[in-house]
Amino acid sequence: MATELLSFRLSGDELEWLKSQQQESETLNLTAKRLLLETMKQTVDTPVDSVVDTPELEARLEKKIEEKIEAMYEQLANNINYILDTRLPSEPKTVDTPVDSVVDTPKKPLDSYTVIELRNMAKSLGIPYKVRDSKVVLIREISARKSTLPL
């Protein structure tokens, strides 16, 4: 085994610290050697725990991914609903067959219409409404008006 002489200088606080680490009848050189060897044994012989708790990590990642997907789905649904409400024709469709009431009955139920279509329907029936009225309010007003029209 090859050996080599190591030499270095210490001063001030470093030298005082080394002196404080000296054991009885130990020279400064032997103290420095002992401390260096102890440090080498600690770092070489101490295994590093690099195991990652994968089940917990996977669960947290899955939860975050699910939250992101849910938020993206919500945003996409809102965008599609907005496009459908604002860009599709908003004329109410009527049945071509004769009916026995003054107002034509739509082919589909009122709750399947968009808010814009319901507003147009309310306007054609002369029902006053507010822009902030919800779909439920518009359906209630239109239904109430149709039930009071003379046959």
Side-chain angles (χ1 to χ4, degrees), residues 30-49:
L30 287 175
T31 302
K33 180 180 178 182
R34 178 179 53 80
L35 292 172
L36 178 62
L37 291 174
E38 284 176 5
T39 304
M40 288 172 60
K41 284 181 185 175
Q42 287 176 357
T43 57
V44 173
D45 293 342
T46 305
V48 177
D49 185 18

Side-chain angles (χ1 to χ4, degrees), residues 89-96 104-108 113 117 121:
S90 57
E91 295 295 319
K93 297 176 184 169
T94 57
V95 179
D96 291 336
D104 286 343
T105 307
K107 287 183 182 178
K108 56 185 181 180
Y113 285 96
E117 290 172 325
M121 200 179 296

Side-chain angles (χ1 to χ4, degrees), residues 35-119:
L35 292 172
L36 178 62
L37 291 174
E38 284 176 5
T39 304
M40 288 172 60
K41 284 181 185 175
Q42 287 176 357
T43 57
V44 173
D45 293 342
T46 305
V48 177
D49 185 18
S50 61
V51 177
V52 177
D53 187 11
T54 52
E56 182 183 320
L57 180 62
E58 285 178 12
R60 287 189 310 188
L61 286 174
E62 273 186 42
K63 183 179 178 188
K64 286 206 178 269
I65 290 170
E66 289 296 324
E67 288 171 356
K68 290 288 184 186
I69 289 174
E70 185 66 30
M72 289 169 49
Y73 176 79
E74 250 181 70
Q75 185 63 44
L76 184 62
N78 288 340
N79 289 348
I80 289 173
N81 286 336
Y82 174 76
I83 290 169
L84 290 174
D85 284 348
T86 58
R87 295 194 181 162
L88 287 180
S90 57
E91 295 295 319
K93 297 176 184 169
T94 57
V95 179
D96 291 336
T97 56
V99 292
D100 48 353
S101 69
V102 177
V103 179
D104 286 343
T105 307
K107 287 183 182 178
K108 56 185 181 180
L110 288 175
D111 61 347
S112 64
Y113 285 96
T114 65
V115 173
I116 293 174
E117 290 172 325
L118 291 170
R119 286 179 186 157

Side-chain angles (χ1 to χ4, degrees), residues 5-22:
L5 176 65
L6 299 176
S7 175
F8 54 91
R9 294 186 184 273
L10 294 176
S11 63
D13 291 338
E14 296 165 342
L15 183 59
E16 292 303 316
W17 180 82
L18 185 61
K19 284 181 181 177
S20 72
Q21 300 300 312
Q22 250 180 325

Side-chain angles (χ1 to χ4, degrees), residues 142-149:
I142 291 170
S143 297
R145 176 62 181 257
K146 285 187 175 183
S147 66
T148 60
L149 289 175

